[in-house]
Amino acid sequence: MKNDPLFTDEFLLKLKGMIEEHISDDQFGVAELAEKAGMSRSNLLRKVKKLCDLSVSQFMNQVRLQKAMEFLQEGKLTVTEVGYEVGFGSTSYFIKCFREHYGYPPGDVGKKTDTKPNPPSKKSVNSKLVVGILLVLVAVLAAFFIVTKPEKNATINAEKSIAVLPFINDSNDSSNVYIINGLMESILNNLQKIENMRVISRTSVEKFRDTKKSIPEIARELGVNYFVEGSGQKVGNKIVLSVQLIDAENDKHLWAEQFNREVEDIFEIQNTIAKTIASEVQVILTPEEEQKIERVLTQNLEAYDHYLKGMEFIRSETPDGLQQSIPWFKKAIALDKEFADAYAYIAIAYYYLDMFQADKQYLVDMNEYADKAMLYNPVIPESLISKGLFYMSSG
């Protein structure tokens, strides 16, 4: 590590020392480092980028991973313990980052003699000349492309399109899957509220839950520029969540963050992720879009927990799943009488239940709950959809 050129600059060495002081604190992020360094976040981002061509979060990850290598070489801690010691709240995310940085998983450290990070490949001593020639070729091809292709290509390339891949449950407790799925869908829904961003539907990405396809392969299939990946778990009264934004074309991480927050911060986590992603892909949010993203479904966390359980069942789109979702939504309403989203999804569940049978048995109930959703929030899509489905069902 001492010979690593990344840490020869005096300023970067000071930052490294600050990070190591808080190495096990997964809450010590970019904002906290900027405050400790006595700089604004934007100034810190610019200076680190200039000195080492890395984002601050990437630089912090490298410091944590180098410390992890030291712990692993000592051989006193397990891979999971090392991950937590260097501030990774998720073991799977730690293993993923370590493998990307060193080229092999942390469990293989004792078998390897080379502990240097993956270097950029150098094909020959004349690399500068080669790069120069390639740049000229690229410029010529680009000029030809611009002249010969219609203008609509510029629109396609400039499009901000994104897919949120199914999040991974890091917990051995499968009963907590509904929380991780709920976080994934809430982040997706928040991104869908941004007009200048095309967001792929949940049903379209669900088929990639257990896929072995690469990010560029999935990108070509879905036609998107960016991906969001995530993994997490609920530990006691805390939510541990790791989220990454990926450039789809070259499978490169643009932004990654770990959240280790109290359950009561769940809405703040969802909002922060959506806004950060919009910023990273250079989409400017309107005040109306920010207001939509910041909307809190309910102030009652227990009601929200019941709501997420109901959503887990309704996603199955089977008669049994639809039937099981309704009691959970009703429990949510019992705790929050003005929970518009819960009312709306009861009406939606009744609509789909009627689709599975010859006679419509739920029209009265559907109308009642759709009206309640419209009463408490007449502008959200869920309320409008539930009422629209009632009119469709009633002819």
Side-chain angles (χ1 to χ4, degrees):
M1 182 168 63
K2 291 178 181 178
N3 297 323
D4 191 335
L6 183 63
F7 298 111
T8 56
D9 181 85
E10 185 178 350
F11 177 73
L12 294 180
L13 280 170
K14 286 182 180 179
L15 290 183
K16 176 176 174 287
M18 295 173 191
I19 297 164
E20 288 182 338
E21 284 178 27
H22 302 271
I23 197 72
S24 63
D25 182 4
D26 56 5
Q27 290 293 293
F28 189 78
V30 177
E32 289 74 19
L33 181 62
E35 184 178 355
K36 193 168 180 65
M39 302 174 68
S40 69
R41 182 167 174 161
S42 57
N43 284 340
L44 179 65
L45 291 170
R46 280 194 291 270
K47 187 159 187 177
V48 170
K49 184 72 174 176
K50 181 179 178 181
L51 290 172
C52 62
D53 198 29
L54 295 172
S55 68
V56 178
S57 60
Q58 288 172 329
F59 175 78
M60 295 179 75
N61 257 12
Q62 290 207 11
V63 174
R64 294 182 188 278
L65 291 169
Q66 289 187 348
K67 196 67 179 175
M69 177 62 83
E70 293 178 18
F71 284 132
L72 290 166
Q73 287 175 324
E74 291 173 3
K76 296 178 182 178
L77 301 173
T78 66
V79 170
T80 299
E81 289 170 336
V82 169
Y84 284 110
E85 281 295 319
V86 296
F88 285 85
S90 162
T91 302
S92 62
Y93 181 56
F94 167 60
I95 293 171
K96 177 183 174 72
C97 291
F98 191 95
R99 185 193 293 272
E100 288 179 354
H101 189 60
Y102 287 105
Y104 53 87
D108 287 356
V109 167
K111 307 171 189 175
K112 302 284 185 179
T113 56
D114 184 11
T115 60
K116 293 180 180 179
N118 282 332
S121 59
K122 296 180 180 178
K123 299 296 181 183
S124 71
V125 292
N126 294 320
S127 59
K128 288 185 178 178
L129 178 60
V130 173
V131 170
I133 293 170
L134 287 174
L135 286 174
V136 172
L137 287 172
V138 168
V140 172
L141 289 171
F144 175 77
F145 183 85
I146 291 168
V147 170
T148 58
K149 292 291 181 181
E151 289 185 4
K152 68 175 183 179
N153 282 303
T155 305
I156 293 172
N157 292 333
E159 181 185 48
K160 310 298 183 182
S161 54
I162 193 163
V164 182
L165 293 175
F167 283 13
I168 298 168
N169 177 34
D170 285 329
S171 173
N172 292 325
D173 184 359
S174 59
S175 65
N176 284 334
V177 170
Y178 75 94
I179 295 176
I180 303 306
N181 286 341
L183 280 164
M184 173 262 185
E185 187 149 352
S186 296
I187 292 165
L188 185 148
N189 289 341
N190 278 340
L191 292 174
Q192 286 178 329
K193 294 168 185 174
I194 303 171
E195 184 177 349
N196 290 329
M197 185 180 289
R198 181 172 68 87
V199 184
I200 303 301
S201 70
R202 179 187 62 81
T203 51
S204 295
V205 298
E206 187 62 33
K207 63 181 178 181
F208 298 106
R209 181 174 288 277
D210 299 310
T211 186
K212 296 187 183 300
K213 292 182 178 180
S214 68
I215 289 292
E217 286 175 324
I218 302 172
R220 286 191 291 272
E221 193 167 332
L222 293 176
V224 295
N225 306 128
Y226 304 98
F227 279 97
V228 178
E229 284 186 331
S231 63
Q233 59 183 311
K234 183 173 181 285
V235 183
N237 201 39
K238 283 184 174 289
I239 290 175
V240 180
L241 185 68
S242 299
V243 182
Q244 305 94 47
L245 175 66
I246 302 168
D247 184 328
E249 185 177 356
N250 53 28
D251 199 4
K252 179 183 177 182
H253 282 73
L254 299 177
W255 166 79
E257 188 102 17
Q258 290 179 296
F259 299 87
N260 190 339
R261 305 281 181 85
E262 300 293 329
V263 173
E264 63 190 31
D265 296 326
I266 190 167
F267 294 116
E268 182 187 341
I269 295 172
Q270 296 165 6
N271 299 346
T272 299
I273 292 170
K275 289 180 180 180
T276 303
I277 289 170
S279 175
E280 289 290 335
V281 302
Q282 300 179 353
V283 171
I284 299 174
L285 298 179
T286 66
E288 292 79 10
E289 288 167 345
E290 285 201 38
Q291 188 176 8
K292 288 177 183 178
I293 290 172
E294 290 170 359
R295 182 177 79 90
V296 176
L297 274 65
T298 175
Q299 298 292 341
N300 189 308
L301 287 176
E302 189 179 353
Y304 186 62
D305 190 73
H306 292 329
Y307 170 80
L308 290 180
K309 288 176 179 174
M311 291 300 296
E312 186 70 11
F313 282 111
I314 205 171
R315 288 188 197 103
S316 70
E317 299 178 354
T318 63
D320 186 54
L322 293 165
Q323 287 283 12
Q324 291 187 69
S325 72
I326 293 170
W328 288 110
F329 292 134
K330 288 184 176 180
K331 285 182 180 181
I333 291 167
L335 294 169
D336 181 354
K337 301 294 185 186
E338 298 184 5
F339 199 161
D341 299 71
Y343 284 110
Y345 275 107
I346 292 175
I348 292 169
Y350 280 138
Y351 171 80
Y352 285 107
L353 280 171
D354 267 349
M355 286 182 63
F356 287 101
Q357 53 200 11
D359 299 323
K360 299 187 185 304
Q361 301 177 10
Y362 299 109
L363 271 179
V364 174
D365 292 324
M366 192 193 311
N367 191 34
E368 177 187 345
Y369 284 100
D371 279 347
K372 286 286 183 68
M374 291 293 291
L375 172 66
Y376 294 119
N377 197 325
V379 297
I380 59 172
E382 291 79 5
S383 297
L384 296 166
I385 289 169
S386 67
K387 192 64 181 177
L389 290 176
F390 164 73
Y391 286 129
M392 285 174 59
S393 187
S394 62

